Amino acid sequence: MKTKIVILVLFSFCQFCLGQTLIRKPLHGAVVNDSVKVESGSVFNINSKTRSFVNSQGLFDIMAKKNDTLLFLSFGLEAKKIVLTDKDFAVLLFTVKLNTSITPLEEVVVKRTYIKPNVGNIQRIIDTEYFEDEQSSSDNPLMPSKIKYGMDIDRIGKMIWKSFFKENPNKEKEVDYGNFSNIVSKRIHSFFFTNTLKLKEDEIGLFLIYCENDPRAKALLKPESEFELIEFLIGKNEEFKTFAIFEK
């Protein structure tokens, strides 16, 4: 009796799995971009944990059904998630347009070198009085003034201004962390990806784009979050590898 029950349960389970497979059907599609020809990439079916590749013509095939979520990744292009509808299966070729990923350029600081003449205390020279002619005399008849040795109000004002409004050298500057994939690939050695995460060389770029699609990613780029970043990459790698390759 127990044997019959076990066989019945197994049969029901097989029927359920078969039914799940049958309701998904091949989806033929193409990945396009306005500027460049798409020649590689990956398509992930988040629901069925399957993965397909984009060929050199930008075409792909993957098993899917209505309400499945597809994630499209390709080098140099922004990742995109699409929830499938009945209309997507009604067309002969399901077309997905990916936008070009704009990578912010790193700020380049050009240092200028100034040659400062060694003239000692220049203020002493400025304050020295000369009386070689009437124009250089402190008592200049061409510019009459009742104050012969008056204070330099402009000079004193500038000194007071600088003393009150001196720039704080310890002021923190806002940091733009830019593109997640580029920063992580520069900060973490490829040895970590190939040996610790067991990724192939051609999978590292796609893996980083896959991680970048997570809303938590950019918050982990701060230097003080390095340990959390490593934990995040390890966790995303386990998730990344749960996707079975459907068709190459």
Side-chain angles (χ1 to χ4, degrees):
M1 184 66 181
K2 290 183 179 180
T3 304
K4 291 182 179 179
I5 295 175
V6 172
I7 294 174
L8 182 61
V9 171
L10 290 175
F11 180 79
S12 301
F13 178 77
C14 293
Q15 287 291 100
F16 173 80
C17 294
L18 183 60
Q20 291 295 314
T21 304
L22 290 177
I23 59 177
R24 284 191 169 89
K25 54 186 177 180
L27 178 66
H28 309 290
V31 179
V32 298
N33 176 265
D34 291 336
S35 304
V36 297
K37 180 183 177 182
V38 181
E39 298 181 345
S40 63
S42 292
V43 184
F44 295 86
N45 188 325
I46 306 297
N47 300 83
S48 64
K49 298 294 183 181
T50 56
R51 172 185 175 188
S52 180
F53 292 96
V54 178
N55 64 21
S56 57
Q57 285 76 42
L59 303 175
F60 68 90
D61 291 297
I62 192 168
M63 298 294 292
K65 65 175 182 177
K66 179 183 176 182
N67 295 328
D68 275 356
T69 300
L70 301 185
L71 172 63
F72 296 86
L73 305 177
S74 183
F75 293 111
L77 303 177
E78 293 181 356
K80 189 172 187 178
K81 278 184 178 180
I82 294 179
V83 179
L84 298 175
T85 64
D86 290 329
K87 294 181 180 180
D88 299 325
F89 292 92
V91 295
L92 294 176
L93 190 66
F94 173 56
T95 303
V96 180
K97 181 181 177 181
L98 299 185
N99 296 325
T100 303
S101 178
I102 301 175
T103 303
L105 298 177
E106 296 182 359
E107 182 180 358
V108 178
V109 179
V110 180
K111 294 184 179 180
R112 296 183 180 180
T113 303
Y114 296 93
I115 301 176
K116 184 178 181 180
N118 186 14
V119 294
N121 187 354
I122 190 171
Q123 190 62 48
R124 179 181 58 81
I125 299 174
I126 296 173
D127 294 338
T128 302
E129 295 183 357
Y130 297 91
F131 306 99
E132 294 183 358
D133 53 36
E134 292 183 348
Q135 283 73 22
S136 300
S137 173
S138 59
D139 188 12
N140 191 343
L142 300 180
M143 299 186 67
S145 175
K146 295 181 179 180
I147 304 175
K148 185 174 182 180
Y149 297 104
M151 294 183 295
D152 189 343
I153 302 299
D154 182 63
R155 174 181 166 191
I156 295 174
K158 289 180 179 179
M159 293 172 62
I160 296 174
W161 179 270
K162 288 183 179 179
S163 65
F164 279 101
F165 296 96
K166 187 175 181 181
E167 184 177 357
N168 184 4
N170 297 322
K171 183 180 179 181
E172 294 184 359
K173 296 182 178 180
E174 185 178 351
V175 180
D176 182 11
Y177 292 107
N179 184 276
F180 177 86
S181 301
N182 289 344
I183 293 178
V184 174
S185 61
K186 291 178 182 178
R187 185 180 298 178
I188 300 178
H189 197 276
S190 59
F191 181 86
F192 171 79
F193 297 102
T194 56
N195 290 267
T196 304
L197 301 185
K198 305 299 181 183
L199 291 170
K200 298 178 181 178
E201 289 286 347
D202 58 351
E203 289 182 329
I204 296 176
L206 286 175
F207 170 68
L208 290 176
I209 298 175
Y210 179 79
C211 294
E212 186 175 346
N213 197 60
D214 193 304
R216 300 172 296 166
K218 285 195 174 182
L220 299 174
L221 291 178
K222 298 179 181 179
E224 62 270 20
S225 302
E226 185 172 350
F227 182 75
E228 289 83 356
L229 175 61
I230 296 297
E231 283 190 330
F232 171 76
L233 292 174
I234 293 175
K236 294 300 289 186
N237 181 55
E238 294 176 358
E239 181 181 316
F240 183 76
K241 288 189 174 180
T242 59
F243 286 87
I245 298 176
F246 169 67
E247 186 177 353
K248 189 172 183 177

